[in-house]
Amino acid sequence: FIFFVYYRALIFPLLIREGKPTPFFTFVLALLFCVFNGYLQGRSLTTYATYPPGWLGDLRFITGFLGWLVGMAINIHSDHILRNLRKPGETGYKIPRGGMFEYVSGANFFGEILEWFGFALACCTIESLAFALCTLFILGSRARQHHK
């Protein structure tokens, strides 16, 4: 979880080329959501979640961790494809090709949804499931808009 937040908050913005500016209100809402969700996930896992001995070897944890890992790899690779879609100074719409974009039009969204459902399965907490469902509904609607 911390690795993804580090990637999304610090590395990803440094890799972005020029683009449309983000409205300040959107930035504030995203920041508040990330702070609240980060607190909720961290508090849940460090204070309330209890796991039986051997949990890291449990099929639910292993399957969830692999889902999270594959989802993150798809997400990061799809972000790379999107960042390099246009040459510097080029404008206009381009359809991404390669990676999971060969199978779904919103590969970056698909990767992130898979990532957080894997996280929810690995953690088995109501908070992680709530985050996965929020991700599905928010990114699912964005993916649908992008597809159209």
Side-chain angles (χ1 to χ4, degrees):
F1 180 80
I2 291 171
F3 179 79
F4 177 80
V5 171
Y6 174 77
Y7 166 77
R8 184 59 74 202
L10 300 175
I11 297 171
F12 179 76
L14 295 174
L15 296 174
I16 295 176
R17 296 183 193 173
E18 60 196 55
K20 299 179 207 168
T22 300
F24 184 72
F25 184 67
T26 302
F27 166 77
V28 170
L29 286 178
L31 178 67
L32 290 174
F33 175 80
C34 289
V35 168
F36 176 72
N37 183 55
Y39 172 78
L40 184 68
Q41 298 303 324
R43 180 77 177 193
S44 165
L45 292 172
T46 60
T47 306
Y48 302 109
T50 56
Y51 299 100
W55 177 251
L56 298 180
D58 187 280
L59 186 59
R60 291 168 293 181
F61 177 81
I62 293 169
T63 304
F65 178 75
L66 290 175
W68 174 83
L69 195 62
V70 169
M72 179 179 264
I74 291 170
N75 192 1
I76 290 172
H77 184 250
S78 300
D79 285 345
H80 172 76
I81 290 172
L82 290 171
R83 272 194 313 275
N84 294 296
L85 202 54
R86 292 179 200 84
K87 295 176 179 145
E90 193 175 39
T91 60
Y93 184 78
K94 292 216 174 181
I95 296 175
R97 300 277 183 222
M100 284 299 293
F101 284 108
E102 297 300 320
Y103 305 99
V104 293
S105 58
N108 52 328
F109 301 129
F110 171 75
E112 193 156 345
I113 291 166
L114 176 60
E115 189 175 349
W116 296 122
F117 272 94
F119 178 77
L121 182 59
C123 294
C124 284
T125 65
I126 193 72
E127 295 84 0
S128 60
L129 178 60
F131 179 43
L133 289 171
C134 283
T135 301
L136 173 65
F137 294 129
I138 292 168
L139 294 185
S141 68
R142 289 185 63 199
R144 187 171 181 207
Q145 288 174 323
H146 283 244
H147 182 77
K148 286 181 180 182

